[in-house]
Amino acid sequence: MTPIGCQEALQRLYEYLDGELTPDTTEEVRRHIDLCAGCYPEVRSATEFRDALHRAALGQPLCPDALRRKVAEMLREEGLSA
Amino acid sequence: MPTANATDRRLSFEAEALPHLDAVYRFALRLAGSPPEAEDLVQETFLRAWRAWDQYTPGTRAKSWLFTICRNAYLRERERDTRRDELVAEAARSEPESEVSGSELPVFAGQAHYDPEGEFYRSLVDARILEAIDALPTDFREAVVLSDLQGLSYQEVAEVLDVPLGTVKSRLFRGRKLLQKRLHDVARESGFIREDRT
């Protein structure tokens, strides 16, 4: 396996974090960023950013009960007796 | 008495579509920007989904399928809204949809000086992050919401948005970078990042 450089590792960083790379490419990127001090701030920052978005996603409101009832009623009228 | 087919149809809709009510509401909220519009979109989505349920293949990705219906309903509504069209046109001019350049870094450059490791993200409350996402141009907002907030794979995002995989990657890359810049600005305005930090 040929080691990849900083540019390639950072270009694929999001695909790596999103789990979108093949197992081989994932391993190449992982090997690089685990050992590269130069890439560390970018990797850390991208990770913090994604974590913040995931936290925000969990904080979104759920479907209000009134809307849940409206949808159920609408579907009942359409023939779905939920 | 309902036929066996009608019962199967009802049961499969209840089992596969209705559990995604929260996810569709959250998606609609990010698309439409306000609870009343999101509620209309959700009702429209589930009505259309139920009427078209025969076209859905059981056991496939019901959530993506519902998002596609929701987005189509939203786009139809939006055609009447010229203000948003102007925003998209402006975004297209400032952020051309091209392949990501090989030398372009994933984290926006302005951050490197003050907070290279992005610790400020921890200081931001969820509401400010969601506001910043809502302010993104539509094309980028859709990609970021589907991938980062809803957890869809790139392929699923491509299917919902009806664009090639490369376009999803490009929109995500640029959308995330724009979002990072906006969140960085929010953190600076809020005093979470000090300008004299080195």
Side-chain angles (χ1 to χ4, degrees):
Chain A
M1 192 178 287
T2 313
I4 60 171
C6 294
Q7 186 173 312
E8 190 175 348
L10 292 177
Q11 202 186 344
R12 292 172 182 261
L13 181 58
Y14 280 129
E15 290 171 83
Y16 169 78
L17 294 173
D18 291 337
E20 293 280 346
L21 295 173
T22 62
D24 282 353
T25 314
T26 298
E27 183 60 15
E28 285 174 358
V29 175
R30 191 187 64 75
R31 277 169 186 260
H32 180 91
I33 64 176
D34 276 358
L35 298 172
C36 181
C39 286
Y40 177 77
E42 293 269 352
V43 174
R44 173 83 191 275
S45 179
T47 306
E48 292 282 351
F49 171 67
R50 287 178 84 258
D51 288 350
L53 294 193
H54 294 168
R55 281 197 305 275
L58 294 174
Q60 293 181 102
L62 295 172
C63 178
D65 286 343
L67 176 58
R68 212 176 282 278
R69 286 194 295 273
K70 267 190 207 171
V71 170
E73 178 60 30
M74 179 190 70
L75 293 174
R76 251 195 303 277
E77 287 171 9
E78 284 284 317
L80 186 145
S81 50
Chain B
M1 178 184 271
T3 64
N5 266 353
T7 304
D8 287 350
R9 186 174 189 264
R10 178 175 65 77
L11 290 176
S12 68
F13 191 81
E14 286 173 1
E16 292 201 53
L18 289 181
H20 298 299
L21 200 47
D22 286 326
V24 172
Y25 177 70
R26 287 172 161 182
F27 180 54
L29 201 52
R30 296 275 78 76
L31 278 184
S34 78
E37 285 180 77
E39 293 190 10
D40 289 346
L41 261 183
V42 169
Q43 290 188 70
E44 182 74 13
T45 300
F46 278 88
L47 182 62
R48 286 174 185 273
W50 170 242
R51 287 176 177 171
W53 192 239
D54 293 336
Q55 294 165 43
Y56 171 76
T57 307
T60 57
R61 296 183 283 238
K63 189 161 91 166
S64 302
W65 192 75
L66 290 165
F67 285 166
T68 303
I69 294 173
C70 183
R71 178 174 178 267
N72 288 345
Y74 166 70
L75 290 178
R76 271 192 301 276
E77 281 299 312
R78 198 173 130 268
E79 279 168 12
R80 300 168 200 156
D81 189 341
T82 51
R83 285 171 301 155
R84 283 188 184 269
D85 286 346
E86 285 166 8
L87 188 65
V88 171
E90 185 187 324
R93 282 195 298 274
S94 62
E95 296 279 347
E97 191 174 291
S98 55
E99 284 298 310
V100 175
S101 118
S103 59
E104 202 170 345
L105 296 176
V107 176
F108 104 97
Q111 179 189 317
H113 182 62
Y114 301 116
D115 187 354
E117 295 176 14
E119 289 180 9
F120 72 93
Y121 290 119
R122 295 183 192 191
S123 68
L124 297 169
V125 294
D126 295 346
R128 300 306 297 271
I129 294 172
L130 294 173
E131 280 170 19
I133 290 173
D134 291 349
L136 288 174
T138 306
D139 286 353
F140 299 150
R141 186 170 79 246
E142 289 177 331
V144 168
V145 166
L146 290 170
S147 175
D148 289 316
L149 300 189
Q150 295 290 348
L152 264 56
S153 69
Y154 291 0
Q155 184 58 45
E156 289 171 320
V157 176
E159 286 167 14
V160 173
L161 301 182
D162 194 25
V163 295
L165 205 57
T167 303
V168 170
K169 290 181 191 177
S170 170
R171 287 184 187 179
L172 268 180
F173 193 93
R174 296 183 192 288
R176 284 166 167 171
K177 209 163 173 175
L178 191 55
L179 183 58
Q180 287 165 356
K181 182 177 185 318
R182 291 189 172 173
L183 292 176
H184 187 259
D185 290 344
V186 169
R188 279 176 71 180
E189 287 159 13
S190 308
F192 294 124
I193 296 177
R194 288 166 57 99
E195 303 230 4
D196 59 353
R197 182 172 172 175
T198 55

Short mmCIF file of all heavy atoms in Angstrom, two decimals, chain B residues 85-113:
data_model
loop_
_atom_site.label_atom_id
_atom_site.label_comp_id
_atom_site.label_asym_id
_atom_site.label_seq_id
_atom_site.Cartn_x
_atom_site.Cartn_y
_atom_site.Cartn_z
N ASP B 85 -35.68 32.11 -5.13
CA ASP B 85 -35.03 31.88 -6.41
C ASP B 85 -33.85 32.83 -6.59
O ASP B 85 -32.80 32.46 -7.10
CB ASP B 85 -36.03 32.06 -7.56
CG ASP B 85 -36.98 30.88 -7.64
OD1 ASP B 85 -36.69 29.86 -7.01
OD2 ASP B 85 -38.00 31.00 -8.32
N GLU B 86 -34.06 34.07 -6.16
CA GLU B 86 -32.97 35.04 -6.27
C GLU B 86 -31.78 34.61 -5.42
O GLU B 86 -30.64 34.77 -5.81
CB GLU B 86 -33.46 36.42 -5.83
CG GLU B 86 -34.35 37.07 -6.88
CD GLU B 86 -35.11 38.26 -6.33
OE1 GLU B 86 -34.83 38.66 -5.19
OE2 GLU B 86 -36.00 38.75 -7.05
N LEU B 87 -32.08 34.04 -4.24
CA LEU B 87 -31.02 33.59 -3.34
C LEU B 87 -30.20 32.47 -3.98
O LEU B 87 -28.97 32.46 -3.92
CB LEU B 87 -31.65 33.10 -2.03
CG LEU B 87 -30.70 32.76 -0.90
CD1 LEU B 87 -29.98 34.01 -0.42
CD2 LEU B 87 -31.46 32.14 0.26
N VAL B 88 -30.90 31.54 -4.62
CA VAL B 88 -30.21 30.42 -5.27
C VAL B 88 -29.34 30.93 -6.41
O VAL B 88 -28.19 30.52 -6.58
CB VAL B 88 -31.24 29.40 -5.81
CG1 VAL B 88 -30.53 28.35 -6.66
CG2 VAL B 88 -31.96 28.73 -4.65
N ALA B 89 -29.89 31.88 -7.20
CA ALA B 89 -29.12 32.43 -8.32
C ALA B 89 -27.86 33.12 -7.81
O ALA B 89 -26.78 32.97 -8.38
CB ALA B 89 -29.99 33.41 -9.09
N GLU B 90 -28.02 33.81 -6.69
CA GLU B 90 -26.88 34.51 -6.11
C GLU B 90 -25.83 33.50 -5.63
O GLU B 90 -24.64 33.67 -5.84
CB GLU B 90 -27.37 35.36 -4.93
CG GLU B 90 -26.30 36.22 -4.32
CD GLU B 90 -26.79 36.91 -3.05
OE1 GLU B 90 -27.99 37.28 -3.01
OE2 GLU B 90 -26.02 37.04 -2.11
N ALA B 91 -26.32 32.42 -5.00
CA ALA B 91 -25.41 31.39 -4.51
C ALA B 91 -24.67 30.73 -5.68
O ALA B 91 -23.48 30.44 -5.59
CB ALA B 91 -26.19 30.34 -3.72
N ALA B 92 -25.39 30.51 -6.77
CA ALA B 92 -24.78 29.85 -7.92
C ALA B 92 -23.66 30.72 -8.50
O ALA B 92 -22.64 30.22 -8.95
CB ALA B 92 -25.84 29.59 -8.99
N ARG B 93 -23.86 32.04 -8.42
CA ARG B 93 -22.82 32.94 -8.94
C ARG B 93 -21.59 32.93 -8.04
O ARG B 93 -20.47 32.91 -8.51
CB ARG B 93 -23.37 34.37 -9.04
CG ARG B 93 -24.25 34.59 -10.25
CD ARG B 93 -24.46 36.08 -10.49
NE ARG B 93 -25.14 36.73 -9.39
CZ ARG B 93 -26.45 36.78 -9.25
NH1 ARG B 93 -27.23 36.20 -10.15
NH2 ARG B 93 -27.02 37.37 -8.22
N SER B 94 -21.82 32.93 -6.72
CA SER B 94 -20.70 33.04 -5.80
C SER B 94 -20.02 31.70 -5.52
O SER B 94 -18.86 31.66 -5.16
CB SER B 94 -21.15 33.67 -4.48
OG SER B 94 -22.11 32.85 -3.87
N GLU B 95 -20.75 30.60 -5.66
CA GLU B 95 -20.17 29.28 -5.37
C GLU B 95 -20.41 28.36 -6.56
O GLU B 95 -21.32 27.54 -6.55
CB GLU B 95 -20.84 28.67 -4.13
CG GLU B 95 -20.60 29.46 -2.86
CD GLU B 95 -19.25 29.16 -2.23
OE1 GLU B 95 -18.61 28.17 -2.64
OE2 GLU B 95 -18.85 29.92 -1.35
N PRO B 96 -19.62 28.48 -7.62
CA PRO B 96 -19.85 27.65 -8.79
C PRO B 96 -19.77 26.17 -8.45
O PRO B 96 -18.92 25.76 -7.66
CB PRO B 96 -18.72 28.06 -9.75
CG PRO B 96 -17.69 28.69 -8.90
CD PRO B 96 -18.42 29.30 -7.74
N GLU B 97 -20.69 25.40 -9.04
CA GLU B 97 -20.75 23.98 -8.72
C GLU B 97 -19.77 23.23 -9.60
O GLU B 97 -20.10 22.78 -10.68
CB GLU B 97 -22.17 23.48 -8.95
CG GLU B 97 -22.39 22.11 -8.41
CD GLU B 97 -23.83 21.73 -8.54
OE1 GLU B 97 -24.67 22.32 -7.86
OE2 GLU B 97 -24.12 20.84 -9.36
N SER B 98 -18.55 23.15 -9.15
CA SER B 98 -17.55 22.46 -9.94
C SER B 98 -16.91 21.39 -9.06
O SER B 98 -17.18 21.31 -7.87
CB SER B 98 -16.49 23.47 -10.38
OG SER B 98 -15.96 24.11 -9.24
N GLU B 99 -16.08 20.60 -9.67
CA GLU B 99 -15.36 19.61 -8.89
C GLU B 99 -14.50 20.33 -7.84
O GLU B 99 -14.01 21.44 -8.09
CB GLU B 99 -14.46 18.78 -9.81
CG GLU B 99 -15.24 17.76 -10.62
CD GLU B 99 -15.94 16.74 -9.75
OE1 GLU B 99 -15.30 16.17 -8.86
OE2 GLU B 99 -17.15 16.53 -9.96
N VAL B 100 -14.31 19.70 -6.73
CA VAL B 100 -13.49 20.31 -5.69
C VAL B 100 -12.04 20.27 -6.13
O VAL B 100 -11.55 19.23 -6.58
CB VAL B 100 -13.66 19.53 -4.38
CG1 VAL B 100 -12.72 20.07 -3.32
CG2 VAL B 100 -15.10 19.60 -3.91
N SER B 101 -11.37 21.40 -6.05
CA SER B 101 -10.00 21.45 -6.53
C SER B 101 -9.08 20.64 -5.60
O SER B 101 -9.31 20.57 -4.39
CB SER B 101 -9.54 22.91 -6.62
OG SER B 101 -8.47 23.14 -5.77
N GLY B 102 -8.07 20.06 -6.19
CA GLY B 102 -7.19 19.17 -5.43
C GLY B 102 -6.45 19.86 -4.30
O GLY B 102 -6.06 19.24 -3.33
N SER B 103 -6.27 21.17 -4.42
CA SER B 103 -5.51 21.87 -3.40
C SER B 103 -6.42 22.53 -2.35
O SER B 103 -5.94 23.15 -1.42
CB SER B 103 -4.63 22.95 -4.05
OG SER B 103 -5.46 23.85 -4.75
N GLU B 104 -7.73 22.37 -2.52
CA GLU B 104 -8.66 23.04 -1.61
C GLU B 104 -8.79 22.25 -0.31
O GLU B 104 -9.03 21.04 -0.33
CB GLU B 104 -10.02 23.16 -2.29
CG GLU B 104 -10.86 24.27 -1.70
CD GLU B 104 -12.11 24.53 -2.54
OE1 GLU B 104 -12.17 24.07 -3.69
OE2 GLU B 104 -13.00 25.19 -2.03
N LEU B 105 -8.62 22.95 0.81
CA LEU B 105 -8.69 22.26 2.10
C LEU B 105 -10.12 22.18 2.60
O LEU B 105 -10.94 23.03 2.28
CB LEU B 105 -7.82 23.01 3.12
CG LEU B 105 -6.32 23.03 2.82
CD1 LEU B 105 -5.58 23.88 3.83
CD2 LEU B 105 -5.76 21.62 2.80
N PRO B 106 -10.42 21.16 3.41
CA PRO B 106 -11.80 20.97 3.85
C PRO B 106 -12.26 21.99 4.87
O PRO B 106 -13.44 22.23 5.03
CB PRO B 106 -11.81 19.56 4.44
CG PRO B 106 -10.40 19.29 4.82
CD PRO B 106 -9.56 20.04 3.83
N VAL B 107 -11.34 22.58 5.62
CA VAL B 107 -11.72 23.54 6.64
C VAL B 107 -11.41 24.94 6.14
O VAL B 107 -10.34 25.18 5.60
CB VAL B 107 -10.96 23.27 7.96
CG1 VAL B 107 -11.30 24.33 9.00
CG2 VAL B 107 -11.32 21.89 8.49
N PHE B 108 -12.34 25.87 6.31
CA PHE B 108 -12.15 27.19 5.72
C PHE B 108 -10.95 27.90 6.36
O PHE B 108 -10.69 27.78 7.56
CB PHE B 108 -13.46 27.99 5.81
CG PHE B 108 -13.50 29.04 6.86
CD1 PHE B 108 -13.21 30.36 6.54
CD2 PHE B 108 -13.82 28.72 8.16
CE1 PHE B 108 -13.24 31.33 7.51
CE2 PHE B 108 -13.86 29.68 9.13
CZ PHE B 108 -13.56 30.99 8.81
N ALA B 109 -10.22 28.63 5.51
CA ALA B 109 -8.89 29.10 5.89
C ALA B 109 -8.88 30.12 7.03
O ALA B 109 -7.97 30.13 7.84
CB ALA B 109 -8.21 29.70 4.66
N GLY B 110 -9.92 30.96 7.12
CA GLY B 110 -9.93 32.04 8.11
C GLY B 110 -9.85 31.55 9.54
O GLY B 110 -9.47 32.28 10.45
N GLN B 111 -10.23 30.30 9.75
CA GLN B 111 -10.26 29.75 11.10
C GLN B 111 -8.86 29.42 11.63
O GLN B 111 -8.63 29.45 12.84
CB GLN B 111 -11.12 28.49 11.08
CG GLN B 111 -11.23 27.78 12.39
CD GLN B 111 -11.92 26.45 12.19
OE1 GLN B 111 -12.90 26.35 11.47
NE2 GLN B 111 -11.40 25.43 12.80
N ALA B 112 -7.97 29.10 10.72
CA ALA B 112 -6.68 28.53 11.10
C ALA B 112 -5.89 29.42 12.07
O ALA B 112 -5.20 28.93 12.95
CB ALA B 112 -5.85 28.26 9.86
N HIS B 113 -6.05 30.73 11.93
CA HIS B 113 -5.25 31.63 12.74
C HIS B 113 -5.73 31.69 14.20
O HIS B 113 -4.94 31.71 15.13
CB HIS B 113 -5.29 33.03 12.11
CG HIS B 113 -4.45 34.02 12.84
ND1 HIS B 113 -3.09 33.89 12.97
CD2 HIS B 113 -4.78 35.17 13.49
CE1 HIS B 113 -2.62 34.90 13.66
NE2 HIS B 113 -3.61 35.70 14.00
#
